Amino acid sequence: MKISQNIGYLPLRSEMMTDPAVLGSWAAQNPLLAPNVAQPATREPWVSPGNDYLQIRDGMMDAVESVVFQGKDPQATLTAARAEGATLLPAS
């Protein structure tokens, strides 16, 4: 209870937010908590874009770093990284 009230972490069990013996009174005094409590019900799981998504991510990050830190041409570098990443995407 103290963690939720003092730091802002939401409790893992949402019923604690409605129980007056637990966090109900505190939650009623803090109406901005309501959207955060309601949000988990509408979340969807993240699905990776194929088995090579880490390679795609790493390639894009390497490209950005080479532009920012090594002064490479942004258009050419990012276009090449995109083309390489596209070859790793699953056919669908």
Side-chain angles (χ1 to χ4, degrees):
M1 291 187 333
K2 293 291 182 189
I3 292 174
S4 294
Q5 292 171 328
N6 295 325
I7 298 176
Y9 282 101
L10 294 177
L12 297 176
R13 295 190 324 261
S14 61
E15 62 270 11
M16 293 176 72
M17 300 289 284
T18 56
D19 185 344
V22 187
L23 292 171
S25 300
W26 173 73
Q29 294 171 359
N30 294 282
L32 294 178
L33 294 170
N36 296 318
V37 173
Q39 187 178 27
T42 60
R43 287 187 298 191
E44 295 180 13
W46 179 79
V47 178
S48 72
N51 295 330
D52 297 317
Y53 75 93
L54 290 175
Q55 286 178 269
I56 296 168
R57 182 205 60 193
D58 291 347
M60 292 303 294
M61 292 304 297
D62 290 344
V64 169
E65 287 177 8
S66 67
V67 168
V68 173
F69 297 119
Q70 299 166 8
K72 291 192 176 180
D73 176 61
Q75 183 69 45
T77 305
L78 296 174
T79 298
R82 181 184 65 195
E84 185 177 333
T87 66
L88 299 171
L89 289 172
S92 56

